[in-house]
mmCIF file of all heavy atoms in Angstrom:
data_model
loop_
_atom_site.group_PDB
_atom_site.id
_atom_site.type_symbol
_atom_site.label_atom_id
_atom_site.label_comp_id
_atom_site.label_asym_id
_atom_site.label_seq_id
_atom_site.Cartn_x
_atom_site.Cartn_y
_atom_site.Cartn_z
ATOM 1 N N ASP A 15 68.842 7.457 -3.192
ATOM 2 C CA ASP A 15 69.126 6.339 -2.205
ATOM 3 C C ASP A 15 69.609 6.908 -0.861
ATOM 4 O O ASP A 15 69.350 6.377 0.230
ATOM 5 C CB ASP A 15 70.369 5.528 -2.882
ATOM 6 C CG ASP A 15 69.798 4.643 -4.004
ATOM 7 O OD1 ASP A 15 68.565 4.405 -4.045
ATOM 8 O OD2 ASP A 15 70.688 4.162 -4.865
ATOM 9 N N ASP A 16 70.441 7.999 -0.899
ATOM 10 C CA ASP A 16 70.848 8.581 0.394
ATOM 11 C C ASP A 16 69.592 9.100 1.112
ATOM 12 O O ASP A 16 69.512 9.046 2.390
ATOM 13 C CB ASP A 16 71.741 9.719 0.151
ATOM 14 C CG ASP A 16 73.169 9.286 -0.196
ATOM 15 O OD1 ASP A 16 73.500 8.072 0.000
ATOM 16 O OD2 ASP A 16 74.060 10.029 -0.700
ATOM 17 N N LEU A 17 68.660 9.659 0.481
ATOM 18 C CA LEU A 17 67.478 10.160 1.132
ATOM 19 C C LEU A 17 66.630 9.122 1.679
ATOM 20 O O LEU A 17 66.118 9.200 2.877
ATOM 21 C CB LEU A 17 66.481 11.021 0.116
ATOM 22 C CG LEU A 17 67.216 12.312 -0.409
ATOM 23 C CD1 LEU A 17 66.364 12.742 -1.498
ATOM 24 C CD2 LEU A 17 67.362 13.393 0.669
ATOM 25 N N LYS A 18 66.552 7.927 1.004
ATOM 26 C CA LYS A 18 65.849 6.841 1.597
ATOM 27 C C LYS A 18 66.586 6.297 2.918
ATOM 28 O O LYS A 18 65.829 5.937 3.946
ATOM 29 C CB LYS A 18 65.831 5.673 0.549
ATOM 30 C CG LYS A 18 64.855 5.949 -0.564
ATOM 31 C CD LYS A 18 64.893 4.758 -1.470
ATOM 32 C CE LYS A 18 63.742 4.872 -2.590
ATOM 33 N NZ LYS A 18 63.783 3.729 -3.513
ATOM 34 N N ARG A 19 67.859 6.309 2.880
ATOM 35 C CA ARG A 19 68.597 5.878 4.108
ATOM 36 C C ARG A 19 68.356 6.842 5.264
ATOM 37 O O ARG A 19 68.217 6.433 6.398
ATOM 38 C CB ARG A 19 70.089 5.784 3.747
ATOM 39 C CG ARG A 19 70.517 4.482 3.082
ATOM 40 C CD ARG A 19 72.048 4.264 2.976
ATOM 41 N NE ARG A 19 72.576 5.264 2.007
ATOM 42 C CZ ARG A 19 72.762 4.936 0.722
ATOM 43 N NH1 ARG A 19 72.335 3.819 0.223
ATOM 44 N NH2 ARG A 19 73.337 5.797 -0.119
ATOM 45 N N LYS A 20 68.244 8.170 4.963
ATOM 46 C CA LYS A 20 67.944 9.121 5.985
ATOM 47 C C LYS A 20 66.609 8.895 6.589
ATOM 48 O O LYS A 20 66.446 9.064 7.832
ATOM 49 C CB LYS A 20 68.093 10.588 5.464
ATOM 50 C CG LYS A 20 69.640 10.985 5.198
ATOM 51 C CD LYS A 20 69.808 12.363 4.637
ATOM 52 C CE LYS A 20 71.230 12.591 4.517
ATOM 53 N NZ LYS A 20 71.471 14.042 4.051
ATOM 54 N N PHE A 21 65.599 8.489 5.739
ATOM 55 C CA PHE A 21 64.261 8.258 6.268
ATOM 56 C C PHE A 21 64.298 6.973 7.007
ATOM 57 O O PHE A 21 63.435 6.920 7.968
ATOM 58 C CB PHE A 21 63.260 8.281 5.154
ATOM 59 C CG PHE A 21 62.836 9.735 4.824
ATOM 60 C CD1 PHE A 21 63.287 10.405 3.703
ATOM 61 C CD2 PHE A 21 61.923 10.383 5.678
ATOM 62 C CE1 PHE A 21 62.922 11.693 3.384
ATOM 63 C CE2 PHE A 21 61.547 11.684 5.405
ATOM 64 C CZ PHE A 21 62.008 12.314 4.329
ATOM 65 N N ASP A 22 65.139 6.034 6.551
ATOM 66 C CA ASP A 22 65.143 4.790 7.482
ATOM 67 C C ASP A 22 65.648 5.188 8.838
ATOM 68 O O ASP A 22 65.084 4.646 9.906
ATOM 69 C CB ASP A 22 66.119 3.777 6.836
ATOM 70 C CG ASP A 22 65.549 3.080 5.550
ATOM 71 O OD1 ASP A 22 64.297 3.025 5.498
ATOM 72 O OD2 ASP A 22 66.313 2.518 4.743
ATOM 73 N N ALA A 23 66.616 6.079 8.842
ATOM 74 C CA ALA A 23 67.266 6.551 10.182
ATOM 75 C C ALA A 23 66.148 7.287 11.017
ATOM 76 O O ALA A 23 65.936 7.058 12.233
ATOM 77 C CB ALA A 23 68.460 7.435 10.039
ATOM 78 N N ALA A 24 65.447 8.204 10.346
ATOM 79 C CA ALA A 24 64.455 8.967 11.050
ATOM 80 C C ALA A 24 63.230 8.074 11.502
ATOM 81 O O ALA A 24 62.610 8.491 12.578
ATOM 82 C CB ALA A 24 63.839 10.057 10.040
ATOM 83 N N SER A 25 62.930 7.032 10.789
ATOM 84 C CA SER A 25 61.754 6.214 11.196
ATOM 85 C C SER A 25 62.065 5.374 12.571
ATOM 86 O O SER A 25 61.242 4.860 13.101
ATOM 87 C CB SER A 25 61.479 5.206 10.075
ATOM 88 O OG SER A 25 62.495 4.286 9.901
ATOM 89 N N LYS A 26 63.300 5.398 12.978
ATOM 90 C CA LYS A 26 63.643 4.877 14.246
ATOM 91 C C LYS A 26 63.133 5.735 15.417
ATOM 92 O O LYS A 26 62.967 5.323 16.500
ATOM 93 C CB LYS A 26 65.152 4.623 14.424
ATOM 94 C CG LYS A 26 65.767 3.524 13.435
ATOM 95 C CD LYS A 26 67.256 3.532 13.612
ATOM 96 C CE LYS A 26 67.815 2.251 12.931
ATOM 97 N NZ LYS A 26 67.548 2.396 11.458
ATOM 98 N N TYR A 27 62.885 6.910 15.161
ATOM 99 C CA TYR A 27 62.378 7.906 16.173
ATOM 100 C C TYR A 27 60.928 8.385 15.971
ATOM 101 O O TYR A 27 60.300 8.852 16.967
ATOM 102 C CB TYR A 27 63.367 9.189 16.145
ATOM 103 C CG TYR A 27 64.807 8.760 16.388
ATOM 104 C CD1 TYR A 27 65.632 8.845 15.291
ATOM 105 C CD2 TYR A 27 65.182 8.436 17.677
ATOM 106 C CE1 TYR A 27 66.975 8.398 15.508
ATOM 107 C CE2 TYR A 27 66.542 8.030 17.840
ATOM 108 C CZ TYR A 27 67.449 8.039 16.765
ATOM 109 O OH TYR A 27 68.737 7.708 16.975
ATOM 110 N N ALA A 28 60.419 8.294 14.770
ATOM 111 C CA ALA A 28 59.003 8.761 14.490
ATOM 112 C C ALA A 28 58.392 7.796 13.481
ATOM 113 O O ALA A 28 59.136 7.198 12.553
ATOM 114 C CB ALA A 28 58.891 10.154 14.032
ATOM 115 N N ASP A 29 57.179 7.557 13.499
ATOM 116 C CA ASP A 29 56.505 6.652 12.558
ATOM 117 C C ASP A 29 56.683 7.214 11.168
ATOM 118 O O ASP A 29 56.468 8.355 10.923
ATOM 119 C CB ASP A 29 54.952 6.612 12.883
ATOM 120 C CG ASP A 29 54.649 5.736 14.068
ATOM 121 O OD1 ASP A 29 55.561 5.077 14.537
ATOM 122 O OD2 ASP A 29 53.567 5.886 14.673
ATOM 123 N N LEU A 30 57.012 6.266 10.222
ATOM 124 C CA LEU A 30 57.268 6.752 8.919
ATOM 125 C C LEU A 30 56.152 7.411 8.182
ATOM 126 O O LEU A 30 56.264 8.448 7.544
ATOM 127 C CB LEU A 30 57.654 5.455 8.068
ATOM 128 C CG LEU A 30 58.166 5.811 6.610
ATOM 129 C CD1 LEU A 30 59.406 6.643 6.615
ATOM 130 C CD2 LEU A 30 58.365 4.510 5.809
ATOM 131 N N ASP A 31 54.944 6.978 8.627
ATOM 132 C CA ASP A 31 53.750 7.676 8.003
ATOM 133 C C ASP A 31 53.535 9.079 8.464
ATOM 134 O O ASP A 31 52.762 9.851 7.953
ATOM 135 C CB ASP A 31 52.494 6.782 8.198
ATOM 136 C CG ASP A 31 51.361 7.286 7.407
ATOM 137 O OD1 ASP A 31 51.558 7.288 6.118
ATOM 138 O OD2 ASP A 31 50.212 7.587 7.935
ATOM 139 N N GLN A 32 54.212 9.432 9.582
ATOM 140 C CA GLN A 32 54.150 10.790 10.117
ATOM 141 C C GLN A 32 55.264 11.696 9.687
ATOM 142 O O GLN A 32 55.558 12.857 10.147
ATOM 143 C CB GLN A 32 54.099 10.723 11.697
ATOM 144 C CG GLN A 32 52.788 10.352 12.388
ATOM 145 C CD GLN A 32 52.810 10.439 13.794
ATOM 146 O OE1 GLN A 32 53.025 9.606 14.508
ATOM 147 N NE2 GLN A 32 52.583 11.748 14.302
ATOM 148 N N LEU A 33 56.018 11.182 8.716
ATOM 149 C CA LEU A 33 57.056 11.871 8.084
ATOM 150 C C LEU A 33 56.753 12.241 6.612
ATOM 151 O O LEU A 33 55.807 11.702 6.018
ATOM 152 C CB LEU A 33 58.345 11.117 8.082
ATOM 153 C CG LEU A 33 58.855 10.661 9.478
ATOM 154 C CD1 LEU A 33 60.104 9.769 9.375
ATOM 155 C CD2 LEU A 33 59.197 11.881 10.355
ATOM 156 N N GLY A 34 57.495 13.190 6.116
ATOM 157 C CA GLY A 34 57.381 13.599 4.695
ATOM 158 C C GLY A 34 58.658 14.364 4.334
ATOM 159 O O GLY A 34 59.578 14.446 5.129
ATOM 160 N N ILE A 35 58.705 14.917 3.055
ATOM 161 C CA ILE A 35 59.833 15.551 2.573
ATOM 162 C C ILE A 35 59.653 16.910 2.041
ATOM 163 O O ILE A 35 58.535 17.095 1.393
ATOM 164 C CB ILE A 35 60.630 14.649 1.527
ATOM 165 C CG1 ILE A 35 62.024 15.318 1.094
ATOM 166 C CG2 ILE A 35 59.645 14.315 0.305
ATOM 167 C CD1 ILE A 35 62.978 15.364 2.102
ATOM 168 N N ALA A 36 60.458 17.834 2.433
ATOM 169 C CA ALA A 36 60.449 19.136 1.827
ATOM 170 C C ALA A 36 61.836 19.740 1.853
ATOM 171 O O ALA A 36 62.619 19.206 2.578
ATOM 172 C CB ALA A 36 59.569 20.080 2.762
ATOM 173 N N PRO A 37 62.055 20.739 1.078
ATOM 174 C CA PRO A 37 63.442 21.307 1.135
ATOM 175 C C PRO A 37 63.681 21.867 2.411
ATOM 176 O O PRO A 37 62.665 22.222 3.212
ATOM 177 C CB PRO A 37 63.487 22.449 0.095
ATOM 178 C CG PRO A 37 62.281 21.995 -0.842
ATOM 179 C CD PRO A 37 61.257 21.269 -0.053
ATOM 180 N N GLN A 38 64.892 22.131 2.887
ATOM 181 C CA GLN A 38 65.259 22.612 4.176
ATOM 182 C C GLN A 38 64.730 23.922 4.495
ATOM 183 O O GLN A 38 64.613 24.446 5.664
ATOM 184 C CB GLN A 38 66.684 22.431 4.532
ATOM 185 C CG GLN A 38 67.695 23.095 3.553
ATOM 186 C CD GLN A 38 67.913 24.602 3.780
ATOM 187 O OE1 GLN A 38 68.346 25.337 2.783
ATOM 188 N NE2 GLN A 38 67.936 25.037 4.894
ATOM 189 N N CYS A 39 64.531 24.790 3.373
ATOM 190 C CA CYS A 39 64.141 26.155 3.554
ATOM 191 C C CYS A 39 63.544 26.623 2.223
ATOM 192 O O CYS A 39 63.475 25.802 1.213
ATOM 193 C CB CYS A 39 65.374 27.110 4.037
ATOM 194 S SG CYS A 39 64.699 28.648 4.655
ATOM 195 N N GLY A 40 63.208 27.870 2.117
ATOM 196 C CA GLY A 40 62.846 28.476 0.799
ATOM 197 C C GLY A 40 64.119 28.600 -0.036
ATOM 198 O O GLY A 40 65.275 28.523 0.484
ATOM 199 N N PHE A 41 63.897 28.771 -1.385
ATOM 200 C CA PHE A 41 64.957 29.028 -2.159
ATOM 201 C C PHE A 41 65.379 30.566 -2.240
ATOM 202 O O PHE A 41 66.492 30.872 -2.739
ATOM 203 C CB PHE A 41 64.545 28.680 -3.602
ATOM 204 C CG PHE A 41 64.472 27.160 -3.772
ATOM 205 C CD1 PHE A 41 63.285 26.499 -3.662
ATOM 206 C CD2 PHE A 41 65.468 26.352 -4.144
ATOM 207 C CE1 PHE A 41 63.128 25.120 -3.727
ATOM 208 C CE2 PHE A 41 65.467 25.050 -4.268
ATOM 209 C CZ PHE A 41 64.201 24.344 -4.077
ATOM 210 N N ALA A 42 64.516 31.339 -1.625
ATOM 211 C CA ALA A 42 64.898 32.831 -1.741
ATOM 212 C C ALA A 42 64.098 33.441 -0.388
ATOM 213 O O ALA A 42 63.142 34.087 -0.651
ATOM 214 C CB ALA A 42 64.488 33.459 -2.944
ATOM 215 N N SER A 43 64.714 33.222 0.754
ATOM 216 C CA SER A 43 64.078 33.831 1.880
ATOM 217 C C SER A 43 63.975 35.388 1.835
ATOM 218 O O SER A 43 63.281 36.042 2.490
ATOM 219 C CB SER A 43 64.784 33.401 3.175
ATOM 220 O OG SER A 43 64.685 32.018 3.269
ATOM 221 N N THR A 44 64.910 35.950 1.037
ATOM 222 C CA THR A 44 64.857 37.297 0.694
ATOM 223 C C THR A 44 64.910 37.423 -0.822
ATOM 224 O O THR A 44 65.206 36.473 -1.619
ATOM 225 C CB THR A 44 66.039 38.242 1.249
ATOM 226 O OG1 THR A 44 67.250 37.664 0.573
ATOM 227 C CG2 THR A 44 66.264 37.942 2.756
ATOM 228 N N GLU A 45 64.621 38.547 -1.373
ATOM 229 C CA GLU A 45 64.497 38.691 -2.802
ATOM 230 C C GLU A 45 65.855 38.460 -3.437
ATOM 231 O O GLU A 45 65.861 38.185 -4.680
ATOM 232 C CB GLU A 45 63.944 40.087 -3.186
ATOM 233 C CG GLU A 45 64.824 41.304 -2.716
ATOM 234 C CD GLU A 45 64.219 42.536 -3.012
ATOM 235 O OE1 GLU A 45 63.158 42.609 -3.750
ATOM 236 O OE2 GLU A 45 64.610 43.610 -2.422
ATOM 237 N N GLU A 46 66.984 38.457 -2.797
ATOM 238 C CA GLU A 46 68.296 38.279 -3.434
ATOM 239 C C GLU A 46 68.364 36.822 -3.863
ATOM 240 O O GLU A 46 69.037 36.577 -4.900
ATOM 241 C CB GLU A 46 69.428 38.539 -2.413
ATOM 242 C CG GLU A 46 69.578 40.158 -2.154
ATOM 243 C CD GLU A 46 68.679 40.692 -1.195
ATOM 244 O OE1 GLU A 46 67.875 39.897 -0.534
ATOM 245 O OE2 GLU A 46 68.740 41.887 -0.911
ATOM 246 N N GLY A 47 67.824 35.932 -3.065
ATOM 247 C CA GLY A 47 67.821 34.482 -3.477
ATOM 248 C C GLY A 47 69.168 33.724 -3.203
ATOM 249 O O GLY A 47 70.089 34.378 -2.831
ATOM 250 N N ASN A 48 69.094 32.425 -3.224
ATOM 251 C CA ASN A 48 70.265 31.632 -2.941
ATOM 252 C C ASN A 48 70.982 31.378 -4.277
ATOM 253 O O ASN A 48 70.612 31.720 -5.324
ATOM 254 C CB ASN A 48 69.926 30.246 -2.243
ATOM 255 C CG ASN A 48 69.506 30.456 -0.822
ATOM 256 O OD1 ASN A 48 69.797 31.379 -0.209
ATOM 257 N ND2 ASN A 48 68.892 29.465 -0.268
ATOM 258 N N ASP A 49 72.204 30.810 -4.043
ATOM 259 C CA ASP A 49 73.157 30.598 -5.146
ATOM 260 C C ASP A 49 72.829 29.311 -5.959
ATOM 261 O O ASP A 49 73.536 28.280 -6.037
ATOM 262 C CB ASP A 49 74.584 30.494 -4.691
ATOM 263 C CG ASP A 49 74.993 31.848 -4.073
ATOM 264 O OD1 ASP A 49 74.522 32.944 -4.542
ATOM 265 O OD2 ASP A 49 75.879 31.872 -3.181
ATOM 266 N N LEU A 50 71.616 29.378 -6.569
ATOM 267 C CA LEU A 50 71.126 28.220 -7.515
ATOM 268 C C LEU A 50 70.520 28.871 -8.702
ATOM 269 O O LEU A 50 70.232 30.082 -8.742
ATOM 270 C CB LEU A 50 70.082 27.290 -6.842
ATOM 271 C CG LEU A 50 70.449 26.583 -5.633
ATOM 272 C CD1 LEU A 50 70.180 27.462 -4.314
ATOM 273 C CD2 LEU A 50 69.589 25.327 -5.513
ATOM 274 N N THR A 51 70.371 28.149 -9.772
ATOM 275 C CA THR A 51 69.732 28.513 -10.965
ATOM 276 C C THR A 51 68.278 28.071 -10.898
ATOM 277 O O THR A 51 67.881 27.264 -10.053
ATOM 278 C CB THR A 51 70.354 27.946 -12.148
ATOM 279 O OG1 THR A 51 70.173 26.522 -12.250
ATOM 280 C CG2 THR A 51 71.854 28.217 -12.313
ATOM 281 N N MET A 52 67.485 28.587 -11.854
ATOM 282 C CA MET A 52 66.135 28.168 -11.876
ATOM 283 C C MET A 52 65.941 26.622 -12.233
ATOM 284 O O MET A 52 65.163 25.900 -11.635
ATOM 285 C CB MET A 52 65.408 28.974 -12.971
ATOM 286 C CG MET A 52 65.184 30.398 -12.638
ATOM 287 S SD MET A 52 63.911 30.668 -11.439
ATOM 288 C CE MET A 52 63.766 32.468 -11.470
ATOM 289 N N ASP A 53 66.848 26.189 -13.097
ATOM 290 C CA ASP A 53 66.851 24.768 -13.425
ATOM 291 C C ASP A 53 67.231 23.928 -12.159
ATOM 292 O O ASP A 53 66.668 22.842 -11.890
ATOM 293 C CB ASP A 53 67.865 24.398 -14.519
ATOM 294 C CG ASP A 53 67.407 24.910 -15.850
ATOM 295 O OD1 ASP A 53 66.245 25.136 -16.057
ATOM 296 O OD2 ASP A 53 68.277 25.004 -16.769
ATOM 297 N N ASP A 54 68.186 24.382 -11.339
ATOM 298 C CA ASP A 54 68.532 23.721 -10.056
ATOM 299 C C ASP A 54 67.325 23.645 -9.242
ATOM 300 O O ASP A 54 67.044 22.596 -8.618
ATOM 301 C CB ASP A 54 69.654 24.437 -9.335
ATOM 302 C CG ASP A 54 71.004 24.488 -10.100
ATOM 303 O OD1 ASP A 54 71.162 23.566 -10.938
ATOM 304 O OD2 ASP A 54 71.739 25.438 -9.902
#
């Protein structure tokens, strides 16, 4: 629901069809990785 609200806000500045969703970055920009589990 929060993500939907954020896209409602984004669609005020860009057409919704020109938007999509992805994580903000990779999960491991280096081999050490971020503080998440495989399940996360």
